[in-house]
Amino acid sequence: MTRTALITGITGQDGAYLSQLLLEKGYTVHGTARPSSTDNFWRIAPFLDRLHIHRADLLDQGSLIRLLDRCQPDEVYNLAAMSYVPTSFEQPLLTGEVTALGVARMLEAIRIIKPDIRFYQASSSEMFGATKDQTQDETTAFHPRSPYGIAKCYGHWTTVNYREAYGIYGCSGILFNHESPLRGEQFVTRKITLAAARIKLGLQEKLFLGNLEARRDWGYAADYVQAMWQMLQQEEPSDYVIGTGQQHSVQQFAEMAFEKVGLDWKRYVEIDSSLLRPTDVVNLCGNAEKAKERLGWTPKVSCKELAEIMVEADLARLSPKDQSNVST
Ligand code: NAP
Ligand code: F7E
């Protein structure tokens, strides 16, 4: 029988990769988009005609209840969130409403409408924040460093609590940074790859960055949505860290991206102190042993390959057809 999935935040990076994966697996795929004057469908445009899009907002309990009643999904992937850390410092209360309480609203809707739904919560390595541990796994203590990280801790523990209190099949996927050509342009990897491509093509002169020393475990979004799906196929629900186990600094990522277009990053990157955060996270590196053992999940794409994929995609997007042979 055809399975039905609902993805909140289907218009985002992960929503696009996950919907593609679920369509390939034969699911009927529903997704939420916020009511707005301009649709943000560019990531899902290639297969939009195969998706069922509903207007719903994590801020509005009634819209979520009606949504579940209409779709009757077997699986819900809660990807919607205010996901950009700097904005969470500017709008901490809105971040809490969407990224924290939004999870409780979705789980309440599940409890009321269809408690046998399998639920995936998009948790984040930002919950580890100021951790002193060199690598982080499911047992590492949380010490969030932003309103976003704090809100994700609430979402994580709410998922755990609904599992323990009401027997809901809820999984919290603690995903480390994952990127792709579909990444929003404000996140540092895409900001860098887009700038490297633009500078190569003579469309930009400088790239302004903040903290070059911050270190992240960067993986490929297409690999990570596979793990989301696998989590919901297990007999018992659980929480999983998903990461590559490899760490690079922002500076190293810039080196790799500029190298791809044959340029020396040092000539183009400048520091803009206004991009520094009130508190930053400087040392994240995931230990995904549990996911490897129980799900058989391993990452396929290295950080260097990822930087190259992203630069290539940005070059292709920016290049007029007759310049598609720009030397890389
Ligand atoms: P993204 O590209 O920023 O997408 C976020 C999605 O949430 C968008 O579809 C957005 O819709 C939607 N949204 C925002 N506010 C909403 C609201 N009030 N009601 C309903 N929808 C709302 O994020 P992503 O990179 O795909 O990440 C997916 C999820 O994983 C997020 O929860 C993020 O916090 C989490 N996460 C991401 C990473 C990562 O490295 N990418 C790592 C760990 C966890 P609009 O199109 O209308 O803005
Ligand atoms: O920053 C530093 C910045 O904004 C990474 C979200 O998907 O992953 C993401 O959150 C690092 C930080 O991602 C710039 O200070 C330097 O240390 O790309 P980012 P993030 O904050 O790690 C987690 C796992 C999520 O869950 C989030 O939703 O890069 N950095 N210079 C900069 N960052 C930005 N954005 N822009 C700069 O110019």
Side-chain angles (χ1 to χ4, degrees):
M1 210 172 64
T2 310
R3 279 180 295 172
T4 301
L6 169 69
I7 304 173
T8 71
I10 200 166
T11 58
Q13 170 189 257
D14 292 3
Y17 282 103
L18 181 63
S19 42
Q20 206 173 351
L21 178 79
L22 296 178
L23 285 172
E24 280 162 19
K25 291 186 182 294
Y27 279 71
T28 300
V29 180
H30 297 260
T32 68
R34 284 187 286 178
S36 72
S37 50
T38 333
D39 283 335
N40 180 24
F41 291 160
W42 64 275
R43 294 182 176 97
I44 50 175
F47 40 89
L48 186 57
D49 57 344
R50 297 169 63 199
L51 300 172
H52 304 268
I53 302 294
H54 306 265
R55 303 293 165 176
D57 197 308
L58 285 193
L59 296 173
D60 189 274
Q61 182 74 71
S63 72
L64 301 180
I65 291 173
R66 284 190 294 279
L67 175 69
L68 289 191
D69 201 27
R70 263 200 310 273
C71 309
Q72 294 288 323
D74 303 301
E75 299 171 10
V76 169
Y77 296 86
N78 187 38
L79 308 187
M82 200 310 291
S83 78
Y84 187 47
V85 172
T87 302
S88 80
F89 285 103
E90 298 299 321
Q91 300 184 336
L93 300 185
L94 179 65
T95 302
E97 282 288 349
V98 178
T99 304
L101 286 176
V103 184
R105 289 191 193 98
M106 185 49 78
L107 281 162
E108 274 298 281
I110 288 175
R111 196 153 73 99
I112 292 165
I113 299 293
K114 194 169 181 286
D116 65 346
I117 280 172
R118 293 190 168 203
F119 177 77
Y120 172 84
Q121 168 57 16
S123 291
S124 166
S125 53
E126 283 295 299
M127 300 189 303
F128 297 124
T131 180
K132 295 270 185 296
D133 296 0
Q134 271 314 104
T135 61
Q136 298 85 40
D137 65 18
E138 295 78 6
T139 65
T140 306
F142 298 148
H143 183 155
R145 295 270 282 174
S146 64
Y148 170 80
I150 295 164
K152 283 291 179 185
C153 288
Y154 179 98
H156 169 83
W157 286 119
T158 302
T159 304
V160 173
N161 184 245
Y162 273 59
R163 184 168 75 213
E164 292 174 356
Y166 308 119
I168 284 180
Y169 188 112
C171 297
S172 171
I174 306 174
L175 271 52
F176 283 63
N177 298 52
H178 45 281
E179 321 291 314
S180 74
L182 300 186
R183 186 61 142 152
E185 292 177 15
Q186 72 273 47
F187 297 96
V188 77
T189 54
R190 183 79 203 291
K191 186 174 170 182
I192 291 170
T193 62
L194 187 57
R198 287 176 61 84
I199 290 170
K200 178 70 182 177
L201 296 173
L203 302 171
Q204 184 174 328
E205 289 181 356
K206 292 284 177 198
L207 166 61
F208 293 95
L209 294 175
N211 183 2
L212 292 184
E213 304 306 318
R215 295 184 301 281
R216 289 289 186 280
D217 175 342
W218 278 298
Y220 184 36
D223 286 347
Y224 285 41
V225 298
Q226 180 74 33
M228 295 178 188
W229 175 77
Q230 283 174 274
M231 285 179 214
L232 295 200
Q233 312 313 310
Q234 306 307 304
E235 207 157 301
E236 295 297 331
S238 193
D239 308 320
Y240 296 90
V241 158
I242 299 296
T244 70
Q246 301 295 318
Q247 189 188 60
H248 294 85
S249 66
V250 172
Q251 179 177 313
Q252 286 171 320
F253 194 92
E255 284 170 18
M256 292 187 279
F258 278 81
E259 191 182 306
K260 175 69 183 164
V261 290
L263 298 176
D264 179 2
W265 72 277
K266 287 199 257 9
R267 290 186 54 205
Y268 303 97
V269 172
E270 288 186 13
I271 302 300
D272 175 350
S273 57
S274 73
L275 295 169
L276 299 174
R277 300 174 184 184
T279 43
D280 203 357
V281 171
V282 293
N283 176 43
L284 289 179
C285 188
N287 173 354
E289 269 309 302
K290 178 177 169 184
K292 187 177 175 191
E293 273 171 32
R294 294 213 200 158
L295 309 178
W297 181 87
T298 50
K300 307 268 181 303
V301 174
S302 71
C303 187
K304 186 164 193 297
E305 289 165 339
L306 175 63
E308 290 173 356
I309 291 169
M310 292 174 70
V311 171
E312 270 167 15
D314 280 323
L315 274 174
R317 268 193 279 237
L318 289 167
S319 304
K321 289 274 176 285
D322 60 353
Q323 276 190 25
S324 57
N325 59 349
V326 168
S327 156
T328 57

